[in-house]
Amino acid sequence: MYHTALLVIDMQNGFLCEKSPLFIDGAPATVPACAKVIAHCRRQGIPVFFITRAYAADGSDVEQPRRDAWETGGKPLSPGCAKEISAEMPEAFGTDEHDYRIVKPRYSAFFATELDLILRRLGIQHLILSGTTTPNCIRTTCYDAISLDYRVTVLSDCTSSKTPEIQESNLRDMANVGAEIMDSEAVLHTEIERL
Amino acid sequence: MYHTALLVIDMQNGFLCEKSPLFIDGAPATVPACAKVIAHCRRQGIPVFFITRAYAADGSDVEQPRRDAWETGGKPLSPGCAKEISAEMPEAFGTDEHDYRIVKPRYSAFFATELDLILRRLGIQHLILSGTTTPNCIRTTCYDAISLDYRVTVLSDCTSSKTPEIQESNLRDMANVGAEIMDSEAVLHTEIERL
C-alpha cells in the first residue's frame, strides 16, 4: 500500500507558452524532468494527480487581479482559446488510465476541490509537488497540505517561477515551514515509498 | 456603510517574545505602528479583527513540522504556558467592544474559521492585513482572500519576518498577484474607505 502521491500542478499550455499573458518563464524547461518523474511514479504504482486550471469562456471565474490580462491576452485556459494557450498539457507527460485529474478554480490544489477527500480515501500521507508556478500554486498547495497534516516534498527542478530569485526565495520559505526540498534526480533513483 | 476591515494576525506574546521558539525577529518593532492603525480604524468605525493562534495543552493541534520545537520550547500559545510566551496580545492594542476575535488553527486566517462568513455578512470587500509572520500567516491569508475575491492591502511596516530578505521577497510576490502594498503612514492620513 502506497502512502505517497505525485501532484502535477498547472503544467498547461496557458502557462507554458510565451504568447500567453500567464506565461511563466521558468516553466518550459521543467517539462522533461516532470515527464521523467511522472513515468517513474506510474511504474511504481504511485498515484499521479494532474491538477489543472480552466476558466469559463466569459471569464466569470478568473481571479479579479488577473481579469484584465486574461481578457486582453487571448483568454488563455478557456474554451475556444488558441490551442497554444489552452488548458492542454504537454504530450511528453502521456496518459495512464490510473491518473487522477482535478480542475481547480484558484491557486491552491485544495481550494474548493475534492483533492483532500480523494487523498484521504487512498490513505495518502505524503505529497510530492511539481508544476508551476512556485510562488503561487505550488506554495499555496504546500501550505494547505501542511495545514492538513500531509508531509510535503517539493521538487526544485520540477517547479518554476518567473525569475531565479523568486524560485529560490520561495523554496527557502517552504523549507522554513517544514517542506522537504529535493531535485528530481534524488527521486528517480529511489523507491518512492522510501523517500 | 464601510466595506473595509482590518485584520491583525498573530500579534501575540508567543511570536513577540525572544524566549519563544516561535519568535519572529521583526515583529516587536511593528507593535507601535499596528497600535496606531488599530486606533485609527476604530475611530472611523472600520471593523477590527484580531485573528490569533492558540494550541491545546497537549499539543494535539500543533502543525506537525512545528511540534518538536513547541514541545521543547515551553509550549507557547497554550494554556498554562508562561505569560511571556502566551496567546496574549500587546497591551498597546487596547480593547474595544466592537472588536472581533477569531482563533485560527493554522496559518491562514480563513483556514477552518468562520472569518469569511462574518466578512460576507458585514459586506466587507477590502481587507487590510497586518501582523506576523509575513511569509506564513499574512501570505496564506492574502492568497485565500484574493481567491475569495477580496481586494487586499498589506501594510509593509505592520507585518514582519525573521529577516529583511524574507520580508521583501514576500511583499514582492504578494504584489505580483495583485495585493496592494503600502505603509501605515499612508493609511493614517487617509479616510480608510477612500484607500
Side-chain angles (χ1 to χ4, degrees):
Chain A
M1 179 68 179
Y2 46 76
H3 294 95
T4 300
L6 173 69
L7 306 192
V8 185
I9 300 175
D10 285 7
M11 291 296 281
Q12 301 166 270
N13 291 353
F15 297 105
L16 292 163
C17 172
E18 281 187 44
K19 294 181 182 171
S20 170
L22 306 178
F23 174 58
I24 303 301
D25 301 55
T30 67
V31 170
C34 286
K36 284 183 190 172
V37 171
I38 291 165
H40 184 66
C41 287
R42 283 183 184 139
R43 277 193 299 270
Q44 295 188 33
I46 299 295
V48 177
F49 285 75
F50 290 99
I51 321 278
T52 57
R53 208 58 156 305
Y55 290 128
D58 67 357
S60 51
D61 55 3
V62 178
E63 296 94 326
Q64 288 292 0
R66 181 176 277 179
R67 184 67 194 263
D68 286 348
W70 176 85
E71 185 87 36
T72 59
K75 304 183 177 178
L77 302 164
S78 64
C81 74
K83 178 176 163 61
E84 61 189 356
I85 60 171
S86 72
E88 290 183 29
M89 290 189 290
E91 288 185 10
F93 292 175
T95 57
D96 186 286
E97 61 177 327
H98 300 104
D99 292 342
Y100 293 83
R101 287 176 179 250
I102 291 177
V103 178
K104 68 176 169 64
R106 289 290 183 262
Y107 306 106
S108 170
F110 290 99
F111 190 95
T113 72
E114 68 274 35
L115 177 61
D116 187 51
L117 303 182
I118 298 175
L119 294 173
R120 282 183 189 211
R121 183 162 294 182
L122 293 175
I124 301 296
Q125 298 168 5
H126 174 208
L127 300 179
I128 301 175
L129 304 189
S130 65
T132 198
T133 162
T134 308
N136 299 341
C137 299
I138 301 298
R139 181 162 170 158
T140 52
T141 301
C142 170
Y143 274 74
D144 278 344
I146 290 176
S147 294
L148 292 163
D149 269 1
Y150 293 98
R151 177 183 155 207
V152 177
T153 297
V154 180
L155 300 183
S156 56
D157 60 333
C158 294
T159 54
S160 51
S161 303
K162 279 181 178 287
T163 70
E165 293 71 26
I166 294 176
Q167 180 74 1
E168 290 309 313
S169 62
N170 279 280
L171 293 178
R172 171 202 65 204
D173 290 348
M174 287 190 280
N176 280 344
V177 289
E180 296 159 73
I181 314 294
M182 61 180 72
D183 67 13
S184 63
E185 281 301 312
V187 172
L188 293 173
H189 297 109
T190 311
E191 192 181 331
I192 298 280
E193 286 293 291
R194 293 179 179 276
L195 266 182
Chain B
M1 179 67 180
Y2 46 76
H3 294 96
T4 300
L6 173 69
L7 305 192
V8 185
I9 300 176
D10 285 6
M11 290 298 279
Q12 302 165 270
N13 292 352
F15 297 107
L16 291 164
C17 172
E18 282 186 42
K19 294 180 181 172
S20 170
L22 306 178
F23 174 59
I24 302 302
D25 300 55
T30 65
V31 170
C34 286
K36 284 183 192 172
V37 172
I38 291 165
H40 183 67
C41 287
R42 284 184 185 137
R43 278 193 299 271
Q44 296 190 30
I46 299 294
V48 177
F49 284 75
F50 291 99
I51 321 277
T52 58
R53 209 58 156 306
Y55 291 129
D58 67 356
S60 51
D61 54 2
V62 178
E63 297 93 326
Q64 288 293 359
R66 182 176 277 180
R67 183 66 192 265
D68 287 348
W70 177 85
E71 185 88 34
T72 60
K75 303 183 178 178
L77 303 165
S78 63
C81 73
K83 178 175 163 62
E84 62 189 357
I85 59 171
S86 72
E88 288 181 32
M89 290 188 291
E91 288 184 10
F93 292 175
T95 56
D96 187 285
E97 62 177 326
H98 299 106
D99 292 342
Y100 293 84
R101 287 176 179 249
I102 290 177
V103 178
K104 68 178 169 62
R106 290 290 184 260
Y107 306 105
S108 171
F110 290 100
F111 190 95
T113 73
E114 68 275 36
L115 177 61
D116 186 52
L117 303 182
I118 298 174
L119 294 173
R120 283 183 190 212
R121 183 162 295 181
L122 293 175
I124 302 295
Q125 298 167 5
H126 174 207
L127 300 178
I128 301 176
L129 304 189
S130 64
T132 199
T133 166
T134 309
N136 299 342
C137 299
I138 301 299
R139 180 162 170 159
T140 51
T141 300
C142 170
Y143 274 74
D144 278 345
I146 291 175
S147 294
L148 291 163
D149 268 0
Y150 293 97
R151 176 184 157 206
V152 176
T153 297
V154 180
L155 299 183
S156 56
D157 61 334
C158 293
T159 54
S160 50
S161 304
K162 280 181 177 287
T163 71
E165 293 71 27
I166 294 176
Q167 180 73 1
E168 290 310 312
S169 61
N170 278 280
L171 293 177
R172 172 203 64 203
D173 291 348
M174 288 189 280
N176 280 344
V177 290
E180 295 158 75
I181 315 294
M182 61 180 71
D183 67 13
S184 62
E185 282 301 313
V187 170
L188 292 172
H189 301 292
T190 311
E191 192 183 331
I192 298 281
E193 287 293 292
R194 294 179 178 274
L195 267 181

